[in-house]
Amino acid sequence: MKKKISDFKSGLELIIQKAKWQSIINKIIVNDLFYILITSGAFRMAYYFCLLNTSGYPDSNTYLNYNANILQGHVDILRTPVYPYFLRLIKLFGEGNLIQNVVLVQSIISFLAIIIFYKIVNKVFINRAVTVIASFIYGIMPSFVNFDKCILTESLSISASILFLYFIVSYLKKPNMLKAILFTLYVFVMIMLRPSFIILLPIITALWMLRIIFYKTDWKNCLSGLVASFFCVLLLLGYSNLNYINNGCNCISIVSNINQIDIIINAEMYLYGNDPEISTTIKSNLTEKQIFNDDIKSILLSKYSPERIANFIKNCIINQPTIYIFQAVKEIYYLSLTTTSVDYANKKMGYLGTFAILFSRLISLPFLVIYILLVLDFIFFLVSYIKSKRVLWFKIILWSFVTFYLFTVIVGAQAEYHRLFVPAVPGILILLFSYFDMIFYSLDKVKINDYLKRS
């Protein structure tokens, strides 16, 4: 009798366990994310098959040959440590297949970022179709996917941007002290991955300050965020000091100065600096204007200290701000004639390579549309505050991220704007589809005020 009861219980437990697994499987199958991942994964595999692992870019070599040991107080003058240490971590699993393993890990991280992107838009958007379409487009966008095959920071930077936006949404939905601290410290990690992310620090600091003003009940969380922001500033100052001790460069990275040298040479601003010796060196070695004046930069870096070059660049800009602004405006105009389409991974020969090129041009956003979208969005959340006194926190932070990142790219680089801007493109997708979401929602129900409450 006892045996029968025991068998009955075991059978019942098996049935319950089986039912639980079936319930879980059913939930997965009917979930939109499941189909987004399946279809995006299929597109990605087809696109990857047309591309080659690519590690031949000059930037790639500086990451692969990174030798600084930050634990011993050594830092590299060009590269911040996160991506080089990511490469070193992968190298532990086999140096012979390093490039292949890096590509594999980047592809996995990039694929998992689709889940995070879906969770963001699912929290922000109302219309199910808009959520699915936006997530699918993010999942297959060639300008994102191709960097998985490159030894460059772009692949991780795109995923890092998505995680940053998720932290914003998560905090705004359910604020707490731990999120405020971790969210802010994560910004420091992003800067160490890609120095251009430094624009996020003033944005997140402004968020905590404004939230204290507008939401006095949230002051403890925001104060924790402010303290974490101050700690990030101290860490950055400490890193810059290490760079000065090691390399004579009191900054996070010398890359920005190297880019500025090209800008002042091509705009002939080098003639208006306060260091005649550097001006003469440039003039005597300048044969023709090029986008990248590598030979002249090598001569300058070998003859003069990084601090002296930095001061020279600063004085050239101060003495001729009109020319500098004109150069930036000119680049903004030229960008408006192009799209965000960018593909750096080498392609296979023949039909596969042709398919990869065509596919990379298929899904992209014109920069002119981005400019218009940013202007409209600014007007939208400004009018919203004036009329209803409602602060659209997520929209404001998203707009600030994209706008200031674009500004940093245009002002801080001499070329390759499409590649440098790509980490902010997911933010543009969210901004764009937020308007589709609003339109579809308002067609069914004229409840814009209700919609804005979710922002």
Side-chain angles (χ1 to χ4, degrees), residues 11-161:
L12 189 60
E13 286 175 359
L14 286 173
I15 292 170
I16 292 171
Q17 191 175 11
K18 185 178 179 181
K20 285 181 179 179
W21 278 109
Q22 285 179 340
S23 176
I24 293 170
I25 292 170
N26 289 335
K27 285 180 180 179
I28 292 173
I29 291 174
V30 299
N31 195 308
D32 291 331
L33 180 59
F34 174 76
Y35 293 102
I36 292 168
L37 292 175
I38 292 294
T39 51
S40 298
F43 270 89
R44 284 178 174 234
M45 292 303 294
Y47 189 47
Y48 286 148
F49 188 70
C50 302
L51 305 176
L52 298 170
N53 296 342
T54 307
S55 60
Y57 288 109
D59 286 2
S60 304
N61 293 328
T62 61
Y63 293 119
L64 290 166
N65 298 324
Y66 180 94
N67 292 316
N69 188 336
I70 197 167
L71 297 177
Q72 296 179 355
H74 303 151
V75 297
D76 188 271
I77 194 170
L78 283 172
R79 301 302 173 196
T80 44
V82 168
Y83 193 68
Y85 275 91
F86 168 76
L87 297 180
R88 285 188 184 182
L89 180 63
I90 306 286
K91 190 183 290 186
L92 295 176
F93 297 93
E95 190 169 348
N97 297 319
L98 175 62
I99 305 302
Q100 183 179 337
N101 291 340
V102 170
V103 167
L104 176 61
V105 175
Q106 288 184 164
S107 300
I108 293 171
I109 293 172
S110 175
F111 182 72
L112 293 176
I114 300 172
I115 300 173
I116 302 174
F117 185 90
Y118 173 81
K119 288 185 175 294
I120 294 170
V121 293
N122 194 43
K123 288 177 180 291
V124 175
F125 297 166
I126 294 175
N127 188 277
R128 178 185 174 190
V130 175
T131 299
V132 171
I133 293 170
S135 301
F136 177 67
I137 289 178
Y138 171 80
I140 68 169
M141 200 160 188
S143 295
F144 302 152
V145 181
N146 88 97
F147 282 113
D148 298 342
K149 302 279 279 185
C150 301
I151 307 302
L152 295 167
T153 62
E154 273 69 21
S155 179
L156 291 189
S157 296
I158 294 165
S159 300
S161 295

Side-chain angles (χ1 to χ4, degrees), residues 276-292:
E277 190 177 351
I278 294 182
S279 295
T280 302
T281 301
I282 294 173
K283 190 172 183 178
S284 60
N285 290 280
L286 183 62
T287 53
E288 60 178 343
K289 291 182 187 177
Q290 302 176 25
I291 296 176
F292 301 100

Side-chain angles (χ1 to χ4, degrees), residues 87-370:
L87 297 180
R88 285 188 184 182
L89 180 63
I90 306 286
K91 190 183 290 186
L92 295 176
F93 297 93
E95 190 169 348
N97 297 319
L98 175 62
I99 305 302
Q100 183 179 337
N101 291 340
V102 170
V103 167
L104 176 61
V105 175
Q106 288 184 164
S107 300
I108 293 171
I109 293 172
S110 175
F111 182 72
L112 293 176
I114 300 172
I115 300 173
I116 302 174
F117 185 90
Y118 173 81
K119 288 185 175 294
I120 294 170
V121 293
N122 194 43
K123 288 177 180 291
V124 175
F125 297 166
I126 294 175
N127 188 277
R128 178 185 174 190
V130 175
T131 299
V132 171
I133 293 170
S135 301
F136 177 67
I137 289 178
Y138 171 80
I140 68 169
M141 200 160 188
S143 295
F144 302 152
V145 181
N146 88 97
F147 282 113
D148 298 342
K149 302 279 279 185
C150 301
I151 307 302
L152 295 167
T153 62
E154 273 69 21
S155 179
L156 291 189
S157 296
I158 294 165
S159 300
S161 295
I162 294 299
L163 188 55
F164 170 77
L165 297 176
Y166 177 77
F167 281 149
I168 294 174
V169 174
S170 178
Y171 179 83
L172 293 176
K173 295 296 181 183
K174 291 183 179 180
N176 66 52
M177 192 177 296
L178 182 61
K179 286 182 182 179
I181 295 171
L182 293 179
F183 179 17
T184 307
L185 293 178
Y186 173 69
V187 170
F188 173 75
V189 176
M190 291 180 70
I191 296 169
M192 289 293 101
L193 169 64
R194 192 182 185 92
S196 56
F197 281 136
I198 197 168
I199 58 103
L200 294 177
L201 189 54
I203 290 174
I204 195 65
T205 303
L207 169 66
W208 302 135
M209 294 175 69
L210 290 172
R211 293 277 293 189
I212 288 175
I213 296 170
F214 287 94
Y215 288 94
K216 292 182 170 54
T217 56
D218 195 27
W219 72 270
K220 287 184 179 179
N221 297 332
C222 297
L223 186 60
S224 300
L226 273 177
V227 171
S229 297
F230 178 70
F231 185 66
C232 287
V233 172
L234 291 180
L235 288 174
L236 291 174
L237 290 174
Y239 186 88
S240 297
N241 187 56
L242 284 176
N243 213 348
Y244 183 75
I245 294 170
N246 283 268
N247 307 304
C249 173
N250 192 17
C251 59
I252 298 171
S253 168
I254 201 176
V255 170
S256 178
N257 286 342
I258 291 174
N259 294 343
Q260 294 295 319
I261 291 172
D262 286 319
I263 293 172
I264 65 170
I265 289 175
N266 295 331
E268 297 186 349
M269 293 171 62
Y270 68 92
L271 298 170
Y272 305 98
N274 293 358
D275 194 324
E277 190 177 351
I278 294 182
S279 295
T280 302
T281 301
I282 294 173
K283 190 172 183 178
S284 60
N285 290 280
L286 183 62
T287 53
E288 60 178 343
K289 291 182 187 177
Q290 302 176 25
I291 296 176
F292 301 100
N293 302 277
D294 293 335
D295 292 338
I296 295 177
K297 287 186 286 190
S298 296
I299 293 169
L300 291 176
L301 291 170
S302 64
K303 290 186 66 174
Y304 308 106
S305 69
E307 282 297 295
R308 186 174 173 183
I309 293 171
N311 288 330
F312 173 73
I313 293 168
K314 181 175 68 176
N315 286 317
C316 286
I317 295 171
I318 291 172
N319 293 337
Q320 289 295 325
T322 305
I323 297 176
Y324 191 73
I325 293 170
F326 176 75
Q327 284 295 114
V329 172
K330 187 169 69 173
E331 296 304 335
I332 291 171
Y333 169 72
Y334 287 141
L335 265 181
S336 71
L337 306 177
T338 66
T339 71
T340 57
S341 176
V342 56
D343 52 336
Y344 269 63
N346 294 333
K347 289 120 191 119
K348 292 181 179 178
M349 300 295 290
Y351 291 113
L352 292 176
T354 303
F355 169 78
I357 294 171
L358 292 174
F359 186 55
S360 67
R361 302 291 186 271
L362 184 63
I363 305 174
S364 62
L365 294 169
F367 270 94
L368 181 58
V369 172
I370 293 174

